[in-house]
Amino acid sequence: LDRFYVGVTHETPDQRLLKHNRHAYGMHRFTSSANDWEIFVVMEVDNYPHAVRLERKIKAMKSKTFIQNLKKYPELRQKIITQTSI
């Protein structure tokens, strides 16, 4: 699909990925359009509310390049984690 899925989870990223690839969340979801999703980058934070803020910030950027740069530049990952830690 040449697209990224951005999401938060209480599970491990591997467990969440497996569910998406098996369409455990239903066929009406964004992720149901493929069954070969791969983990691109994982960003860990201390709590779920912080993870949600981080997810919203990344989604608000609406940029594939921004997501690619999160993997490429660790300092960018740290910067956005700090910005969303409030």
Side-chain angles (χ1 to χ4, degrees), residues 36-58:
D36 60 349
W37 292 101
E38 298 175 0
I39 294 175
F40 184 73
V41 65
V42 174
M43 298 172 67
E44 294 185 30
V45 293
D46 292 333
N47 56 61
Y48 192 76
H50 185 182
V52 171
R53 288 191 303 271
L54 181 59
E55 174 195 29
R56 288 179 181 157
K57 176 77 171 178
I58 293 168

Side-chain angles (χ1 to χ4, degrees), residues 20-37:
H20 280 299
N21 283 333
R22 290 185 176 170
H23 307 296
Y25 299 107
M27 292 303 293
H28 64 283
R29 302 287 186 167
F30 168 77
T31 56
S32 68
S33 55
N35 63 357
D36 60 349
W37 292 101

Side-chain angles (χ1 to χ4, degrees), residues 8 12 18 20 28 35 47-48 54 78-79 82 86:
V8 299
T12 68
L18 184 61
H20 280 299
H28 64 283
N35 63 357
N47 56 61
Y48 192 76
L54 181 59
Q78 188 55 52
K79 180 179 177 181
T82 302
I86 303 174

